[in-house]
Amino acid sequence: MDYVRQVDFAAIDKSGPAERLTQPLLDHASGATTCTINCIKTPAGGGSPAGLHVHAVDQVFYILRGTMSIEIEGRRYDCPPGALIVFPAGVPHRNWNAGREPTVHLAFNTPLPDPTVPFARSV
């Protein structure tokens, strides 16, 4: 088990401006037992691949770069760097990048998502 995980900001910066990029930091393959953690870059104009959706697990985002727009329970929020966003299990939500620059965020999913069940369900 690697006890220290590092976001590869160089890979994020080298990826194309229109490219969505996900870096797994803790997942089933790396020994996760309680949650998964990913670092995700969303290009300008990009967003939730499933649109408005729900998860069977809680999802928490921490915004590192850019401003992410979210919708949860019919309300829109614009979340700058340093914002912590909580999407409770079963609550419809979506996220997108309405800005001109990519957003980068950490995504925590807990409890550990079942890899045999689709992660998101469109609503």
Side-chain angles (χ1 to χ4, degrees), residues 2-93:
D2 292 330
Y3 293 105
V4 177
R5 315 288 170 106
Q6 189 73 36
V7 172
D8 187 350
F9 286 108
I12 290 170
D13 294 339
K14 286 180 187 175
S15 63
E19 181 181 352
R20 187 176 200 282
L21 181 69
T22 300
Q23 294 178 0
L25 298 173
L26 182 64
D27 60 7
H28 294 90
S30 62
T33 60
T34 58
C35 70
T36 61
I37 304 171
N38 294 293
C39 184
I40 302 171
K41 178 191 122 186
T42 303
S48 303
L52 191 63
H53 62 281
V54 296
H55 301 288
V57 300
D58 291 336
Q59 189 173 55
V60 177
F61 289 176
Y62 183 78
I63 308 303
L64 298 171
R65 294 182 183 170
T67 297
M68 177 180 289
S69 298
I70 67 162
E71 178 185 343
I72 186 166
E73 293 189 333
R75 291 186 60 193
R76 178 186 168 155
Y77 302 87
D78 292 316
C79 307
L84 183 75
I85 305 162
V86 178
F87 301 113
V91 175
H93 64 278

Side-chain angles (χ1 to χ4, degrees), residues 17 42-48 95-102:
T42 303
S48 303
N95 65 283
W96 68 96
N97 180 352
R100 296 179 186 209
E101 300 296 323

Side-chain angles (χ1 to χ4, degrees), residues 92-115:
H93 64 278
R94 67 185 180 111
N95 65 283
W96 68 96
N97 180 352
R100 296 179 186 209
E101 300 296 323
T103 61
V104 178
H105 70 281
L106 296 176
F108 303 80
N109 304 294
T110 188
L112 187 70
D114 182 343

